[in-house]
Amino acid sequence: MTITNVKSVLMAVAGALALTTGANAQSPNTDTAIMATFPDYPAAAIGADFNPNKIAALEAQMEQFVTDGDVKGIATLLVKDGNIISHMQAGIRRDADSAPIAEDTIYRIYSMTKPITGVALMTLYEEGKFSLDDPISKYVPEFTDLKVVKSYDKGETVLEPLTRQPTMRQLMSHTAGFAYGLYGDDPANKAFMEQKILRSPDMKSFIDSVAKVPLMHQPGSDWFYSASVDIQGAIVERLSGMKFSEYLKTRLFDPLGMNDTGFSVPAEDYDRFSDVFGYHPATKEFGRVPFPQVAFKPETVAMESGGGGLVSTLGDYARFCQMLANDGEFQGKRILKPETVKLMRTDVLTSGQKVNIAGTLTQATSDTLGFGLDFGIIRNTGSNGVVYGDGTYFWGGAAGTWFWIDPVNNLYFIGMIQRFPQNGPPTDFRSISRNLVYDALKK
């Protein structure tokens, strides 16, 4: 087991600063992947904003998850004002040889892909390639004649025509009416499951298949976690004339220095790739999941999924979060305008629309949640135990990864683990980390 605590992080930052100022001393704990992202943050500043003892308690609890068997490995990062407050890592990334979590460990981020896809699409919005009130069918004509489920009972489904075309804004806020096939026994979700639409071999096949499935409801009438972000990936391709992965690399990953983020793991980097662990009821322990669809090798990846297809590192995702926290700019490179970032993190739901799934935000009720453009939004701060800054935006991934960005307190937190939370005893990593972070923050 390895763990990097506040003290070693500060030593690492000091080492990195010494290198930049021409001094010879450097810390053996220097984390080049993380530290290169952030400026120096002296110990006095941590004491000014956070209680150091409580930050130590945060890190101890994250390590305790490994000790207790809740996860095999974990890495977390807390950043405020562009400076590291806490960074820790503990446990292993590979079951067979007990390889420890390292600074360059690669993780499946699954649905934490969605905000990245949304940012990519909004770069095209800034170029005037589309309006949020445009019908989706303007860019995906296959969707012009979509049908809508009116009712279903005892295997009989009644369809009706669209009363209005779904818009790009609705697509980006999961209110367009599309299904997903991850859960639900309605005709639309069943069709996604039975036809294995999410395993489509390419974007065209995916769009053609989705076009044949009816919407769950009339556009704009309800919220449902959907395949809409995969559709956004296809739209990025159509508007840019580039393959989705190439657009992400050119417009986001290269400018941000996200060198380990992509839709598969190269063979030469595969030893850095964490196993994903599932719960075994007989042993009551987590063990490696061997299925090919979690391997993220080029030959096992179907289409480039904008909804859940990326792998990344903690350092790479920190660069993405820091760009957003900086209102669209990172290390002199602007990805989005400040007003575009604000637009994405603004709740767009109406009073009748309820978020019924919240990534890994399991402690919140639907009344505390809104949704922007590819981000969940925290609202009603101070009620129902919600302690985030008002307008905090967030999401999570199927293997348990989580993050939030709090614009009020100018901080963000990222947690990287690799387990399927639906298997085994539930552990609310997000709520526990949230409580410890805000308890440590000096008001």
Side-chain angles (χ1 to χ4, degrees):
M1 177 182 296
T2 62
I3 180 168
T4 304
N5 57 23
V6 171
K7 182 178 179 181
S8 60
V9 167
L10 290 172
M11 291 172 62
V13 175
L17 182 63
L19 289 176
T20 61
T21 57
N24 294 321
Q26 60 177 306
S27 166
N29 296 311
T30 297
D31 167 5
T32 55
I34 301 290
M35 295 303 155
T37 302
F38 304 100
D40 176 44
Y41 197 43
I46 288 182
D49 292 327
F50 288 87
N51 182 316
N53 293 331
K54 291 184 177 181
I55 290 296
L58 163 71
E59 295 180 341
Q61 177 57 64
M62 298 302 102
E63 187 178 10
Q64 192 66 38
F65 288 136
V66 177
T67 303
D68 292 344
D70 295 313
V71 288
K72 288 282 192 174
I74 187 170
T76 65
L77 179 69
L78 171 62
V79 174
K80 178 172 169 55
D81 300 326
N83 303 296
I84 293 176
I85 304 300
S86 168
H87 171 231
M88 66 77 60
Q89 58 193 36
I92 62 172
R93 69 179 185 272
R94 283 201 308 272
D95 220 10
D97 56 6
S98 297
I101 293 288
E103 303 301 342
D104 60 357
T105 296
I106 300 171
Y107 305 89
R108 300 156 190 79
I109 62 171
Y110 288 117
S111 286
M112 276 167 51
T113 303
K114 288 179 169 70
I116 293 175
T117 299
V119 166
L121 186 57
M122 291 304 281
T123 62
L124 293 163
Y125 166 83
E126 288 191 347
E127 293 176 2
K129 296 293 179 65
F130 73 93
S131 165
L132 289 171
D133 294 321
D134 285 342
I136 304 168
S137 56
K138 182 176 180 179
Y139 312 104
V140 188
E142 296 92 329
F143 291 171
T144 301
D145 297 318
L146 290 171
K147 302 301 181 186
V148 181
V149 174
K150 182 178 181 180
S151 63
Y152 61 96
D153 183 48
K154 298 179 180 179
E156 182 177 349
T157 302
V158 177
L159 303 180
E160 63 181 0
L162 289 169
T163 58
R164 54 192 175 276
Q165 289 282 332
T167 67
M168 295 292 289
R169 191 190 311 272
Q170 291 165 346
L171 185 71
M172 297 188 73
S173 59
H174 294 290
T175 59
F178 293 100
Y180 210 168
L182 301 181
Y183 61 98
D185 61 357
D186 59 280
N189 279 294
K190 281 185 175 179
F192 265 79
M193 296 177 206
E194 292 167 358
Q195 298 174 33
K196 299 180 179 178
I197 291 176
L198 294 180
R199 295 292 297 169
S200 297
D202 52 52
M203 293 288 200
K204 184 180 186 310
S205 299
F206 170 73
I207 291 295
D208 288 344
S209 296
V210 173
K212 297 173 184 176
V213 177
L215 298 182
M216 298 177 62
H217 51 74
Q218 290 290 346
S221 61
D222 205 353
W223 188 97
F224 189 87
Y225 193 47
S226 68
S228 66
V229 194
D230 289 295
I231 297 169
Q232 291 173 49
I235 293 174
V236 168
E237 286 199 342
R238 295 185 181 195
L239 292 179
S240 69
M242 299 172 64
K243 190 176 181 180
F244 187 38
S245 57
E246 293 173 355
Y247 190 83
L248 290 178
K249 185 176 188 301
T250 301
R251 296 297 299 271
L252 295 182
F253 300 158
D254 284 352
L256 293 177
M258 296 173 66
N259 299 323
D260 288 316
T261 303
F263 289 105
S264 62
V265 181
E268 62 270 22
D269 295 327
Y270 211 77
D271 64 338
R272 300 197 278 124
F273 191 35
S274 176
D275 290 334
V276 62
F277 300 95
Y279 186 75
H280 294 267
T283 64
K284 299 187 184 305
E285 294 179 348
F286 284 90
R288 175 180 174 270
V289 174
F291 305 130
Q293 57 265 39
V294 302
F296 282 81
K297 295 181 177 180
E299 64 271 20
T300 67
V301 174
M303 72 170 187
E304 296 176 343
S305 168
L310 289 174
V311 298
S312 190
T313 63
L314 181 64
D316 274 13
Y317 213 82
R319 288 170 173 263
F320 177 70
C321 287
Q322 189 64 58
M323 177 274 294
L324 292 167
N326 289 346
D327 290 329
E329 183 270 339
F330 179 75
Q331 294 184 341
K333 297 175 182 177
R334 180 154 296 282
I335 305 298
L336 291 176
K337 298 175 182 177
E339 55 266 34
T340 305
V341 174
K342 185 176 181 180
L343 182 63
M344 294 189 73
R345 61 180 176 85
T346 298
D347 183 20
V348 299
L349 300 190
T350 63
S351 58
Q353 297 169 338
K354 298 290 185 181
V355 174
N356 56 30
I357 184 174
T360 49
L361 190 76
T362 54
Q363 93 289 345
T365 68
S366 60
D367 288 340
T368 70
L369 299 180
F371 210 86
L373 305 180
D374 291 321
F375 289 103
I377 310 295
I378 306 294
R379 59 191 185 193
N380 296 339
T381 300
S383 66
N384 299 318
V386 175
V387 296
Y388 302 95
D390 191 29
T392 292
Y393 50 116
F394 72 96
W395 208 243
T401 57
W402 76 101
F403 82 98
W404 76 81
I405 303 174
D406 178 345
V408 172
N409 293 296
N410 195 23
L411 66 80
Y412 61 87
F413 188 94
I414 306 170
M416 293 291 195
I417 61 175
Q418 295 285 268
R419 59 163 270 185
F420 287 121
Q422 64 268 30
N423 296 323
T427 303
D428 196 345
F429 299 95
R430 181 188 292 271
S431 290
I432 293 170
S433 60
R434 171 211 63 182
N435 290 342
L436 290 166
V437 166
Y438 286 99
D439 183 53
L441 180 63
K442 294 181 177 179
K443 305 299 190 292

